[in-house]
Amino acid sequence: MMLEYRLFFEPVCTSYQNSGQTSNRVHSQKQRLRFKQEVFPQMQRWPRIKQFPLCFDFTFFYVKEYTVMNYAIMADWIIDCMAFLGILQDINPKIIAEITIRVQEVKSHNKTGALIKISKYEKIS
């Protein structure tokens, strides 16, 4: 089983997420809401994944002028969206065994986003 999905969205600066200032955290929550509003409609037709544990392989596409420092937070937001929409049963380690994050530069803003490859986790003995 190998599922492959492509999401298109503007990169989000995630450095506000862990800020100590309240105004920055509020700004981060607004960015997260805008991010979910872009991603939810693209995920609406994705089927429910019933086989687990799963490996997630994220490839984030960005433009050179706008780099994001922490792609792990955006990957977490995507997984949260999948759980909220019922695509994933849960987000615990029994469901998600491994997450890999890669980054690739693109030339055009309309190609930014993420490629998500989901496969069944195979334990290596």
Side-chain angles (χ1 to χ4, degrees), residues 6 14 16-17 21 27-28 32 39-40 68 97 109 120 122 125:
R6 180 74 160 95
T14 58
Y16 293 111
Q17 178 81 16
Q21 294 181 344
H27 182 69
S28 173
R32 185 177 182 178
V39 170
F40 272 173
V68 176
H109 278 278
K120 183 144 174 45
E122 298 296 331
S125 310

Side-chain angles (χ1 to χ4, degrees), residues 73-97:
I73 291 176
M74 287 192 348
D76 182 50
W77 290 355
I78 291 170
I79 290 172
D80 283 344
C81 291
M82 291 175 74
F84 180 80
L85 291 172
I87 298 166
L88 291 176
Q89 179 180 342
D90 200 355
I91 57 172
N92 66 43
K94 291 181 181 178
I95 305 293
I96 302 172

Side-chain angles (χ1 to χ4, degrees), residues 43-105:
M43 290 183 171
Q44 290 292 332
R45 298 187 195 271
W46 292 8
R48 182 178 172 93
I49 301 171
K50 297 178 184 175
Q51 294 180 356
F52 47 84
L54 300 169
C55 292
F56 280 81
D57 185 357
F58 288 92
T59 303
F60 287 97
F61 301 99
Y62 73 98
V63 288
K64 187 176 184 177
E65 300 83 36
Y66 190 80
T67 58
V68 176
M69 299 301 168
N70 194 346
Y71 289 96
I73 291 176
M74 287 192 348
D76 182 50
W77 290 355
I78 291 170
I79 290 172
D80 283 344
C81 291
M82 291 175 74
F84 180 80
L85 291 172
I87 298 166
L88 291 176
Q89 179 180 342
D90 200 355
I91 57 172
N92 66 43
K94 291 181 181 178
I95 305 293
I96 302 172
E98 183 177 306
I99 298 173
T100 306
I101 297 174
R102 294 174 174 66
V103 180
Q104 184 177 342
E105 183 180 337

Side-chain angles (χ1 to χ4, degrees), residues 11-36 66 73 77:
V12 178
C13 182
T14 58
S15 61
Y16 293 111
Q17 178 81 16
N18 300 322
S19 175
Q21 294 181 344
T22 304
S23 62
N24 287 345
R25 284 194 312 251
V26 169
H27 182 69
S28 173
Q29 291 302 322
K30 288 179 183 177
Q31 283 184 321
R32 185 177 182 178
L33 178 63
R34 185 173 48 92
F35 177 82
K36 286 183 176 183
Y66 190 80
I73 291 176
W77 290 355

